[in-house]
Amino acid sequence: MVKLFSCKQISSIQNSSSEIVRLPWWLEIKTVIPPCTYYFGPFSIEKEARFSQYKYVEDLLKKKAHGITVEVKQLQPKELMIYDL
């Protein structure tokens, strides 16, 4: 089963020089088995991220992942894969 969630929008942050920086869109895909969080992106627009999610989910299903959830978020991940052990 795959659960899809609505987007979480942060949209912008201020950097140290007080400039507004627009954050890119990313897919956050979590799996129960293996217990992992993946980030795929960046995407310039939300619609592009949503359109792309299916190929990543399909790939994870082929690798026998279970309990897949997908969220579209505006952020800048520090890591692209996090094992949730």
Side-chain angles (χ1 to χ4, degrees):
M1 177 198 311
V2 177
K3 292 184 183 177
L4 303 177
F5 294 92
S6 61
C7 68
K8 179 179 181 181
Q9 186 173 5
I10 299 170
S11 78
S12 64
I13 58 170
Q14 285 189 327
N15 65 17
S16 58
S17 63
S18 296
E19 295 174 350
I20 302 260
V21 178
R22 297 280 176 207
L23 294 173
W25 291 94
W26 286 80
L27 291 172
E28 179 186 79
I29 301 179
K30 293 185 177 187
T31 57
V32 174
I33 300 172
C36 198
T37 301
Y38 305 89
Y39 291 96
F40 298 99
F43 302 97
S44 54
I45 59 174
E46 179 189 1
K47 187 176 184 178
E48 180 185 11
R50 289 200 178 283
F51 182 76
S52 298
Q53 69 185 325
Y54 301 103
K55 66 182 175 187
Y56 297 114
V57 169
E58 182 179 348
D59 187 51
L60 289 168
L61 289 170
K62 286 179 184 176
K63 294 178 180 178
K64 308 292 188 213
H66 294 280
I68 299 170
T69 58
V70 180
E71 286 192 71
V72 179
K73 297 182 175 184
Q74 263 185 304
L75 51 80
Q76 187 60 56
K78 294 187 187 309
E79 298 180 56
L80 298 181
M81 187 184 321
I82 303 165
Y83 290 100
D84 302 326
L85 298 176

